[in-house]
Amino acid sequence: MQAFEEDLEHKLLELLSAYKSGLWHTSEYEAKVVTEPKVRTVNKLPVPDHVIQHAALNPSEPLLRSKIPFNCPAGTKGRGTHFFYKIIKSDIYNSPQQETAYCAPMDIHHYFMTIEHNRLKREYRLYIKDRKLLYFIDEVVDSYANGVVLGVKLTQLLGQLYLVRFDYLAMRCFDILEDPERYHYWQARYVSDMLVTCRTEEQARLITSVQSLNERFDRFVRQGLSYYYRFMDNIFILHEDKVFLRLMVELSAMHLARDWKLQINRSWNVHRTCDGIDFCGQVIYADHAKIRKRSKLALCRQVARLRKSGYNNEQIRVIAASRLGIAKHADTKNLLQKIGMKTYRDNLGIKRGEIPFASMTKRQKKHIGDVLCKDGIDYEDHLILIEDYKIDKSTVSFKTQQVEKVDEHGNKFIVQEKVPNDRLALKFRYIDHVERKEELDENGEPIEVPHWKDETWWLYSGAEILITQAREEWCFLEKPFYVVVGELKNKFGKTFYKFI
């Protein structure tokens, strides 16, 4: 990356010229075998290939993402696995329990490896019309022989676009209403399966007559699949009727095999939603999530093995970071306590992402880079109005310091402890414009009155100079007051932040 940035402008112009002329060719892939959580082969490309792929997709990616259903969020910025958890949890929690009584999880067998190039090109041509972009994507797709390559920018987007038509088709119950012959076939299948699988009193109450079952099937088909979800190659369907759900799984397998040449793994089943939905290391329930049993055992064994090898807790946290990261997003307080992996923040009860000001939301959070005035340029455009501020302890930044302690025998000894750094929280508004009046100040210059935008924002900063300035100088100022956050450089060329 550093070598690419040495002559950045020249190399970017070369990439742009190659894209415009259609002379770009994808570099050779460097294969790498990954064994966790399962064995798969990913491929690496040089930096220029990643740059040109990001640049080519940047203008059109938001529009392409908008074609993907909301309940299929994989690969979208800010909508990863935790966003997927929240969607399912929210739907189970807020919907009537009867409507989401059963769940059918499905997994497509070797999804990326079995995607056919011609069918993939047909799918993304439904949404992309720019010829140069199509030529570029075709070249990347054809550069890898077996399916779609893992490890590049295009893979996630193409993997989502490939099944967009299937997603909407599934939500409409595969349009069986439009074909009377198909409709009557599946209706008869539903009635016969309901009669054959009737084993409980609850099922018997539903079967009052064949006519009632026909009407029940018709209602389900007209409603569609309201609780349909897909995370790349993992499909989940929730429904109130177990028999109807099995028919939808059968239809899904048939359409995927016929129209997309994809196969469903045989491990699919239909189970009660209250037993949990197993996804990406967690078992999801309506109001909480638990870590998957085999993930929990793997974490405990890894921590025990590392501790036996002589590693301290901090070293163990670094080595086992991936498993601990999954565990911390589930209800695992007791587990982390038992294996000694609770952090300083956990013991203090500090929550990551907690909002420092009342009535503010996460949507109103900004980054310090959003208010910086670099080298004093456009000073007036970077004024911010400070409505409130706080100095507290960080939840993500720590320092190590030596502390003197006394043991039970009165002996003094020095230990190293990790303590959180200070952080500064700002509640502010951006400048709208500066009004210059005809009156003059004591220096003979026109009086300037700043006007502020209505929206209020907040941010965190751990910059020591900013924290020191706020602690020593702002106690003498009456709120609100306005400042500029400057990005400056010292004589050694090192960047630092300062209120100017």
Side-chain angles (χ1 to χ4, degrees), residues 124-141:
Y124 62 70
R125 272 170 168 73
L126 297 175
Y127 315 106
I128 302 173
K129 303 302 178 184
D130 183 85
R131 292 185 178 180
K132 289 184 178 179
L133 180 57
L134 285 172
Y135 182 83
F136 175 78
I137 297 176
D138 289 346
E139 197 280 332
V140 176
V141 171

Side-chain angles (χ1 to χ4, degrees), residues 380 434-439 446-449:
E380 292 182 353
V434 176
E435 178 186 359
R436 289 177 171 80
K437 295 191 175 183
E438 296 180 356
E439 296 88 357
I447 297 176
E448 297 179 348
V449 179

